[in-house]
Structures are given as C-alpha cells and as structure tokens.
Amino acid sequence: MDSSVVKESPRRIFVTGTAGFIGFHLSKLLLDEGFVVAGYDGMTDYYDVRLKQRRHEELRKSPNFSATEGMLEDQALLDATIDAFAPDVIVHLAAQAGVRYSLENPRAYLDSNVIGTFNVMEAARRNAVQHLLMASTSSVYGANEEMPFTETEKADTQLTIYAATKKANESMAHAYAHLWNLPTTMFRFFTVYGPYGRPDLALYKFVDAMLDGRPIDIYNHGDMYRDFTYVADLVRAIRLLFDAVPERPASRADIVPGDSLSPVAPFRIVNIGNNDKVRLLDFVDAIEESLGIKAIRNYMPMQTGDVPATWADASLLERLTGYRPATDFRDGIANFVAWFRDYSGK
C-alpha cells in the first residue's frame, strides 16, 4: 500500500430538523453517500411524534448518524452540540412549520424561526463552517403575481407570519454573510410531498381521509395551482448545492444575469421547485387514480393567507448544479400512497 495516499475523512454535516420530513430524507441521502451526520430536533408535538420517532429510528440504523433532542431556542445546548461535532457544513431545516398554524400561534414562529435561526447562524459563524445552507419558502413571494417566481424579483409582500419569519431569516443571513464572510445559501422550497410526509400536508390528509371514506376540503373551489416538488428531488438538489459555495464578488459586473448572488456578501437565494405548476384538481384526480377511490369533495373558499398559485423558475438551480427536479406528480403520489398504506396499515 502506498503510504503517501492519505484517506480523506468523510465530511461532517450538522442538520437541524432530522426527525422532520425533509431533514429525514436529506440525512438518509447523506448517510447513503458516506457523510457523517449529526442531527438536532426538538421533537415537538405539532404533529404525531411517533412519525418523527420512526424517522429517527430509520436513520439510527447507520453508525454515522447521531442525534440530539433539543429546541433551537436552547442556545447553550445547541452551541455545545455543534461545537462538539465540529461540522464542515450546517444545513438548517428545523422550523415551526405550517402556513395555517401561524394564524393560530404566531409566537411559536418567532421563537423557533427567528430566535432559533439566529442561534444557528451564531454557531455557524463561531465554527467558521465551509457553507451554511438554510431553508426558506416559496411563501416569501407572498402577493407577487408574475410567474414563474424568480429569485431576483422583489419579495416584500408576505401574507402570513410564517412567511414573514422566513423572509426575516433571509435578511438576517445576508447580514451575517456580509459581516463575517460566512458563505450562505438560502433555498426557497415549493410544495414538497412524498413518503414520510407530514400529516398536516394536503397529500397526507387527502389520502388518509379518502381511505376512511371522509370528505376532503378543497380550497378556493379547486382553482389553485402548486409547484409540487417530490422530496427525493428536493434533497438531491440540497446535496448538490453543498458544493455551489457562494463567493463575495469583486464587483457587481461579475454577477451573471439571473444569479441572486449578493453584490456585497457570499450569499445566494435558490428556488428548489419542479419548474411547473399543477392544478390542484388534477392532483386530486391523480390521488383518486392511485387509490382507486373517488374522493368526497368539499369545495371551500380561499383561506386567509393562502395564495392561488406558486410556480418556481428553477433555472438558477440547474445552472449551479446541473440538476433540475423532474419527478412527475403522478409518480410521486403513487410512491406516497404505497408508503402510507404500509405505514398506516390502511
């Protein structure tokens, strides 16, 4: 054996929200690729904790996974956990989720999404990580009407506290990237779905209700469009963005048109979506076809804070990574239905 060949240690990735829907799938992908992953999750009861526990049980099958249970607001625990792990990259996915729940309990979003995110940024700065990647949302586009949504357009008309906290995260992260030269990528998720999905998301609720013979609530009388993004596509995109580390440009002239790279910081915002919009009623039709069941449809008016359509321009993601999500929603629904029947026993 050539003694001059030094085997590189696997990269160490700290992921917040590993018991969550997206954090679980990302961690599984990273472990499959040989990364060492440390998870951090509050295991809150916003939805059934047993599903979160099931996700962590799956991840713990890998010797390269460890997890700490704690809230983002617990700065002492978060700091101690991150400092002990000494990550190369931090991916911050944990948050108080749910657009509609933010109407009922807005303070939870400030505590987790603003204070908690600040604590993560501080830890990333102190540990001088190679790259900080943080989740935002398509909800920051708010009342914008020009579609598809592009990262370089203004996004100043948020319609919910949830969206407002995520826009605040983007602004905070830009300031930290500028002040401390901390390479930061914010990704704006669109409507994510797939196996191990959250019970408060439409696909889970629809399938569960239809199998029980209960009606499903369809808002805005079905006149809604969403950029449905399959979770496996989403986490693949996040993984590829690890290596698209933003650098502070020497001048504004160095920024390629269409790139959201900041002129004054190593900071970038990237849409992760399917680059298409699907009519909600077509989505419901596909669920019916997959289940072999006709839904009892309860048509309702638009909910406060909701928007009629979302649609991502994913060209920047493709330019940075060579990758673009492309799973057809019918295939993604079929995969979810297979998982749900196994998980629920229905």
Side-chain angles (χ1 to χ4, degrees), residues 229-241 270-274 314-327:
T229 311
Y230 189 58
V231 67
D233 291 349
L234 177 86
V235 299
R236 169 58 58 191
I238 295 173
R239 161 65 190 96
L240 293 170
L241 284 169
V270 182
N271 285 338
I272 304 181
N274 221 46
S315 56
L316 177 57
L317 171 67
E318 187 172 21
R319 186 189 308 164
L320 293 170
T321 66
Y323 178 76
R324 181 183 293 222
T327 298

Side-chain angles (χ1 to χ4, degrees), residues 11-235:
R11 292 169 79 186
R12 301 170 67 80
I13 316 298
F14 188 87
V15 181
T16 68
T18 43
F21 173 35
I22 296 168
F24 161 72
H25 281 279
L26 176 64
S27 298
K28 194 168 188 315
L29 173 65
L30 296 178
L31 293 167
D32 288 345
E33 291 195 1
F35 290 88
V36 176
V37 178
Y40 190 92
D41 201 288
M43 290 289 185
T44 60
D45 61 359
Y46 169 64
Y47 62 83
D48 191 351
V49 175
R50 289 174 296 180
L51 178 54
K52 299 181 180 185
Q53 292 168 338
R54 178 77 67 92
R55 295 179 185 133
H56 261 185
E57 286 170 11
E58 184 70 23
L59 295 175
R60 284 197 175 98
K61 292 177 182 177
S62 170
N64 284 338
F65 179 76
S66 60
T68 299
E69 185 173 332
M71 300 296 286
L72 295 172
E73 303 94 296
D74 187 345
Q75 185 177 1
L77 178 60
L78 182 68
D79 284 351
T81 306
I82 293 177
D83 293 353
F85 182 66
D88 299 307
V89 172
I90 292 178
V91 186
H92 177 39
L93 299 171
Q96 177 57 60
V99 173
R100 294 182 181 118
Y101 184 61
S102 67
L103 305 178
E104 304 168 22
N105 189 14
R107 187 170 297 278
Y109 291 75
L110 295 172
D111 292 341
S112 177
N113 299 3
V114 178
I115 301 301
T117 296
F118 171 75
N119 290 340
V120 172
M121 293 191 318
E122 266 289 276
R125 176 190 66 79
R126 193 177 57 257
N127 282 272
V129 297
Q130 298 165 6
H131 197 178
L132 170 63
L133 301 101
M134 302 205 297
S136 186
T137 172
S138 62
S139 296
V140 301
Y141 289 110
N144 288 19
E145 294 183 342
E146 187 173 335
M147 294 188 194
F149 294 139
T150 60
E151 300 91 341
T152 53
E153 68 183 90
K154 288 186 68 174
D156 293 334
T157 53
Q158 289 75 49
L159 301 177
T160 64
I161 284 293
Y162 167 69
T165 61
K166 287 297 190 177
K167 183 63 190 295
N169 289 168
E170 293 182 358
S171 296
M172 291 159 56
H174 180 270
Y176 255 56
H178 169 72
L179 292 169
W180 307 110
N181 207 38
L182 177 63
T184 303
T185 298
M186 302 286 309
F187 23 71
R188 289 175 177 167
F189 296 157
F190 284 67
T191 306
V192 187
Y193 72 104
Y196 283 93
R198 294 196 336 244
D200 63 315
L201 296 178
L203 178 56
Y204 192 115
K205 291 196 295 186
F206 287 176
V207 170
D208 190 36
M210 289 166 66
L211 287 171
D212 287 348
R214 292 180 282 112
I216 62 172
D217 293 336
I218 299 177
Y219 294 103
N220 204 37
H221 305 282
D223 188 21
M224 299 181 76
Y225 294 82
R226 289 290 181 267
D227 194 329
F228 290 101
T229 311
Y230 189 58
V231 67
D233 291 349
L234 177 86
V235 299

